[in-house]
Amino acid sequence: MLVHGFPFDRRLWAGQLRGRSGIRRVVAPDLRGRGLSAAIGAEGATIDTYADDVAATIASLGVEQADVGGLSMGGYVTFALWRRHPELVRSLILADTRAGPDSPDGKRSREATADRLRAGKVDSLADDMLARLLSPGTGGDVRRKIRTMFRETPTGTSVADLLAMRDRPDSWPDMGTIGVRTLVLRGADDTLTPPEEAESQARAILQARCVTIPGAGHVSPLENPAAFNAAVQEFLEPNP
Ligand code: MLT
C-alpha cells in the first residue's frame, strides 16, 4: 500500500506499480479529493481522515495486513495509520518524510502557500517546488509529470492538504512504539528531509534501517525508480 505526498496522486508510484508487482500486489490509491477518488466534502480533511481512508482501503482488499509505504505527506499519513490502526500494518516504508510537526514559521508558510493557490498561482508555485524539491540531475520527463500532478490536483484539495499538514501532530513520541520492520528511505539530494532526520528516524524505531537513494531529491520513487525499487525489494524479500 503506497501513499503519495503533496501535491501528487497515485501516479507518483508509476515506477513501483510497474516495477514491484512481481513481489507484491501493489496498491496506490488517490487520497480523497484527487484523481479517481471522491471529492473532499464540507467536513474537510485531516491527516487522520486520510489515514482512516487508507485503513478502509486495506480492509476492502480482503487482507489482514499490508506493507505500507508513504512519501512525505504520505509518510505523515502512514504515521497516523500506525497510531490509529497498527493492527493493519505488517511493515513500514518511510520515504522522504519527517516525523516532527511544522514549526511556527512552517505553519505560516503553509497559509501563505494556500493563499497563493487560492489566487490561482499554481504555475509559479510549481516552478518554486520543482526548483526546491528535485535533484539537479532529474530529467524533464519527471519534471513534467510532477507539474501535471500539481496542476490537476483541485485547488480545494491542495489547500486542504496544506492545512492538514500544518495541523499534523508530532510523530516522534510514537516512534518507540513502532514494532514492525521499517525501511527509511531518502533521496541523496532531498533538502526537505536532511540526512540526520532520516537517520534519527531509523535510530528511534527498533527494527529500522536507512537507505539513501542516489540521483534523487524529495520525490525519490519517481526520480530514481530503479534504486528505490531495489531498496524495497531488498527490504521485503531479502532472500528471494
Ligand atoms: C510532500 O511532498 O508531501 C510535501 O512536500 C510535504 C511537506 O510539505 O511537508
Side-chain angles (χ1 to χ4, degrees):
M1 172 65 61
L2 297 175
V3 187
H4 64 75
F6 165 88
F8 309 129
D9 56 45
R10 69 189 185 287
R11 290 172 287 181
L12 173 77
W13 302 109
Q16 288 64 50
L17 287 162
R18 269 196 301 273
R20 288 282 52 90
S21 50
I23 56 166
R24 287 286 189 282
R25 172 157 59 144
V26 186
V27 177
D30 290 316
L31 292 176
R32 72 168 68 184
R34 70 214 90 201
L36 303 173
S37 290
I40 297 173
E43 73 284 6
T46 64
I47 295 295
D48 284 353
T49 315
Y50 294 148
D52 290 349
D53 287 346
V54 171
T57 306
I58 294 173
S60 76
L61 295 168
V63 296
E64 284 179 11
Q65 289 192 315
D67 302 296
V68 182
L71 177 106
S72 198
M73 182 182 79
Y76 312 154
V77 174
T78 302
F79 288 130
L81 184 76
W82 174 258
R83 275 192 291 277
R84 296 167 74 80
H85 308 278
E87 71 287 352
L88 295 177
V89 179
R90 182 166 57 192
S91 69
L92 285 176
I93 299 171
L94 302 171
D96 301 288
T97 195
R98 288 174 298 176
D102 279 358
S103 65
D105 274 354
K107 287 181 197 285
R108 277 190 288 276
S109 153
R110 299 286 189 203
E111 285 152 22
T113 307
D115 285 344
R116 279 177 77 184
L117 278 172
R118 290 189 192 103
K121 303 260 169 52
V122 65
D123 280 323
S124 79
L125 267 173
D127 290 340
D128 292 354
M129 198 185 75
L130 288 165
R132 235 168 8 102
L133 292 192
L134 302 183
S135 171
T138 293
D141 183 42
V142 168
R143 288 169 190 271
R144 267 190 300 281
K145 285 181 179 154
I146 290 179
R147 190 180 285 277
T148 300
M149 286 190 277
F150 198 175
R151 275 213 186 109
E152 292 180 2
T153 302
T155 300
T157 298
S158 292
V159 168
D161 285 355
L162 285 161
L163 303 184
M165 290 191 286
R166 177 196 64 185
D167 296 338
R168 75 186 189 281
D170 185 3
S171 291
W172 282 115
D174 305 310
M175 302 299 263
T177 72
I178 297 180
V180 295
R181 292 177 65 241
T182 300
L183 176 64
V184 178
L185 293 176
R186 104 169 248 285
D189 302 323
D190 183 354
T191 52
L192 246 68
T193 314
E196 44 293 358
E197 164 75 33
E199 284 153 17
S200 302
Q201 289 175 22
R203 268 198 306 276
I205 299 171
L206 197 58
Q207 305 176 68
R209 81 186 126 101
C210 186
V211 173
T212 302
I213 307 296
H218 187 62
V219 194
S220 55
L222 206 53
E223 294 182 79
N224 191 347
F228 190 97
N229 290 351
V232 171
Q233 163 113 25
E234 166 64 23
F235 173 66
L236 293 177
E237 302 266 303
N239 304 304

